[in-house]
Amino acid sequence: KRLILVGPPGSGKGTQSPIIKDEFCLCHLATGDMLRAAVAAKTPLGIKAKEAMDKGELVSDDLVVGIIDEAIKKPSCQKGFILDGFPRTVAQAEKLDAMLENQGNKIDKVLNFEIADPVLEERITGRWIHPASGRSYHTKFAPPKTPGVDDVTGEPLIQRKDDNAAVLKSRLDAFHAQTEPVINYYNNKNLVAHLHAEKPPSDVTAEVRNALKS
Ligand code: AP5
Ligand code: ZN
């Protein structure tokens, strides 16, 4: 299957992705994770992306389309993939359609993580991540066994630079202005499954499984 996960910051895309990935043997392509890795490694892409990311604004379409174009051609992604955080503008969605059409493929389902804005601040400010694996924790909702330490590797957890109330506001503005039209774009193609993303993680997982049955 070829899936898209769309939803505001903190809606649970990155939390559900590893579960879907394992159950359906798909590759997980998260543009945010790839961009953060590029910023950390100070690659030319990272240097170009950093300023927009720190402000909570979207990185230019050309940069992210380039990353995805390269990633979906990889042999490991031929059976299917989860796009987490892409496309985020209608222009990105149109480019993705064109890329897939060239390969004779198409999107099977768009999972829309629906949740009200006020819930998101607590989720974002309490999040701690293990940068190497992308695993995320939450001080209240999904605490690690030892505070500040990854359960699997024992390595330290960090907070994302954009995970504060002020930058969250810009990220939400970008979501409403630029990404909500993407949901309409796929609604018109009858591809969207709506999830109640405010529910506990296991309930959301059940809704995801249900949506992927059909
Ligand atoms: P990106 O990394 O994609 O961030 P985002 O969309 O803001 O999404 P998040 O990662 O914050 O949320 P999530 O839904 O994954 O939440 P999670 O599951 O971790 O993008 C970052 C930046 O990169 C952008 O601002 C932009 O600059 C740039 N960028 C990326 N893609 C781009 C693109 N295509 N075009 C242009 N620019 C792009 O959950 C959050 C927390 O809540 C965790 O602590 C988790 O444990 C907890 N939690 C999760 N689910 C639940 C639940 N059901 N109940 C309680 N707690 C929960
Ligand atoms: Zn994420």
Side-chain angles (χ1 to χ4, degrees):
K1 282 197 194 297
R2 293 177 178 80
L3 310 175
I4 291 172
L5 273 45
V6 61
S11 57
K13 305 179 295 292
T15 300
Q16 299 297 327
S17 286
I19 306 169
I20 312 172
K21 177 186 176 218
D22 290 346
E23 286 184 20
F24 293 87
C25 297
L26 304 174
C27 70
H28 175 211
L29 302 173
T31 39
D33 291 349
M34 296 187 230
L35 290 168
R36 276 184 291 281
V39 170
K42 297 195 168 69
T43 66
L45 167 70
I47 291 163
K48 284 187 203 138
K50 187 177 187 305
E51 197 185 325
M53 293 179 76
D54 285 350
K55 285 195 281 189
E57 293 169 4
L58 293 185
V59 171
S60 79
D61 288 338
D62 288 347
L63 290 183
V64 284
V65 167
I67 312 181
I68 289 294
D69 188 26
E70 206 176 291
I72 63 173
K73 286 178 185 152
K74 286 186 185 156
S76 57
C77 292
Q78 294 315 302
K79 274 172 71 182
F81 50 69
I82 304 161
L83 297 177
D84 164 359
F86 180 92
R88 261 174 146 97
T89 64
V90 171
Q92 291 177 20
E94 287 168 346
K95 294 244 173 70
L96 174 65
D97 274 350
M99 289 188 273
L100 290 174
E101 215 171 288
N102 277 335
Q103 304 181 339
N105 292 325
K106 59 174 182 50
I107 292 299
D108 296 299
K109 201 65 128 190
V110 177
L111 301 175
N112 177 20
F113 286 67
E114 283 186 287
I115 188 163
D117 287 5
V119 186
L120 298 170
E121 186 173 323
E122 188 180 26
R123 288 214 191 163
I124 286 293
T125 53
R127 169 166 57 186
W128 287 79
I129 57 167
H130 176 243
S133 67
R135 264 185 294 283
S136 69
Y137 298 86
H138 192 282
T139 46
K140 186 165 157 193
F141 304 126
K145 289 187 191 112
T146 310
V149 176
D150 179 44
D151 287 351
V152 178
T153 62
E155 288 166 358
L157 301 176
I158 61 151
Q159 277 200 296
R160 269 168 55 173
K161 203 175 172 193
D162 59 348
D163 274 354
N164 56 70
V167 179
L168 174 61
K169 199 182 169 303
S170 311
R171 290 159 66 196
L172 282 171
D173 287 347
F175 175 78
H176 292 304
Q178 291 165 279
T179 308
E180 273 178 351
V182 174
I183 302 169
N184 292 333
Y185 176 89
Y186 289 113
N187 250 332
N188 290 336
K189 297 177 187 277
N190 271 322
L191 289 175
V192 183
H194 297 273
L195 308 176
H196 297 93
E198 77 291 348
K199 289 187 181 172
S202 58
D203 291 15
V204 179
T205 304
E207 288 193 15
V208 168
R209 288 197 184 110
N210 206 24
L212 297 184
K213 263 190 218 150
S214 48

